[in-house]
Amino acid sequence: MTEAAELPPAPEQAREVFGERFADAVRYAELLAEAGVQRGLIGPREVPRLWERHLLNCAVLSEAVPEGVTVCDVGSGAGLPGIPLALVREDLNITLLEPLLRRTNFLTEVVELLGLDHVTVVRGRAEEVMGKLPPVHVVTARAVAPLDRLATWGIPLLRPYGEMLALKGDTAEEELKAAATALSKLGAVSTSILHVGEGVVDPLSTLVRVEVGESPGGVRFAAKKAKAARTGRTRRRR
């Protein structure tokens, strides 16, 4: 049996990024390195690079998120990027959406332990909660799926004129080109690639931003939502 990798000390950038929540960020890193590995939420090889590759890489997403908005982190997994974002941005109202029970159990424990009162954990798939969760200003995601597939899950959760921010790596530009047609059908009106984390992470974190118009999810989702509303009215009459 191989010995568990040791969590390195937090880099100086973490103190600057997490500020008053630095101690909570350290506790979260410890939880990922211990319970996260034991429960199979992250691989043991990720422990030595938890700070740079995971916590800081996700925390700098905050540079692209407007103030005081609602956020849904789709396929939150072990809480990346949702929990680092929550630690640096208490002005946000964040939902961590995750279908697997063992992950939502971990997320609930972390949220309660760190006192993240502005964070809610919801178990479910994006396609199952469409029309059930209140639409949000921003959808976030990291390493969930290729952009075209991710968009079919994330965009319908948005409010009109909202945006999806997907953390991507070197494939960002290629994925954006491949997803162009799908994004257009889903109601996207503008796309861009952003690089965030100057002075914090190297290389910079790469974001794909997809902005939508007045019909997030496109015509198909609008029809599905209208049908659900009609069904709801019919049931209430009975």
Side-chain angles (χ1 to χ4, degrees):
M1 185 174 176
T2 56
E3 192 175 336
E6 190 175 337
L7 177 70
E12 196 57 40
Q13 295 96 315
R15 291 184 178 275
E16 298 168 14
V17 170
F18 291 104
E20 293 179 0
R21 284 284 197 168
F22 172 69
D24 289 327
V26 171
R27 186 69 190 111
Y28 176 50
E30 291 170 348
L31 288 166
L32 286 174
E34 297 161 9
V37 172
Q38 290 164 9
R39 299 187 197 182
L41 305 182
I42 66 163
R45 291 183 181 179
E46 296 303 312
V47 173
R49 50 185 186 176
L50 266 178
W51 284 106
E52 287 82 1
R53 186 179 172 87
H54 298 285
L55 273 76
L56 289 172
N57 179 270
C58 290
V60 297
L61 171 68
S62 66
E63 295 176 24
V65 180
E67 287 185 20
V69 298
T70 52
V71 178
C72 182
D73 188 31
V74 173
S76 196
L80 301 164
I83 288 177
L85 181 62
L87 287 170
V88 298
R89 293 289 299 277
E90 294 192 34
D91 60 300
L92 304 176
N93 189 327
I94 299 175
T95 298
L96 306 179
L97 181 62
E98 168 56 47
L100 295 184
L101 180 61
R102 62 189 169 91
R103 292 176 181 171
T104 53
N105 284 343
F106 176 78
L107 293 173
T108 301
E109 290 166 20
V110 171
V111 166
E112 290 176 357
L113 184 66
L114 302 185
L116 298 173
D117 298 333
H118 57 306
V119 177
T120 303
V121 178
V122 174
R123 185 185 175 199
R125 299 183 185 279
E127 58 269 35
E128 295 169 349
V129 301
M130 287 177 192
K132 298 177 184 176
L133 288 182
V136 296
H137 298 92
V138 178
V139 162
T140 59
R142 177 181 189 248
V144 174
L147 187 62
D148 55 351
R149 202 184 326 153
L150 173 62
T152 64
W153 302 332
I155 288 180
L157 300 176
L158 290 169
R159 292 168 50 133
Y161 307 104
E163 61 185 297
M164 183 175 74
L165 295 170
L167 272 161
K168 292 286 182 181
D170 298 336
T171 62
E173 196 168 334
E174 183 183 326
E175 285 192 48
L176 192 50
K177 286 178 182 176
T181 301
L183 292 174
S184 179
K185 288 179 180 177
L186 288 164
V189 296
S190 175
T191 60
S192 54
I193 293 177
L194 311 176
H195 299 284
V196 295
E198 183 73 44
V200 178
V201 289
D202 184 20
L204 300 179
S205 296
T206 301
L207 298 178
V208 174
R209 171 183 270 160
V210 179
E211 298 171 84
V212 300
E214 61 182 18
S215 300
V219 177
R220 268 197 326 175
F221 178 65
K224 181 180 176 183
K225 198 158 65 167
K227 182 180 178 182
R230 287 196 301 272
T231 303
R233 285 197 297 270
T234 302
R235 284 175 180 162
R236 284 195 295 273
R237 288 195 198 107
R238 289 174 180 172

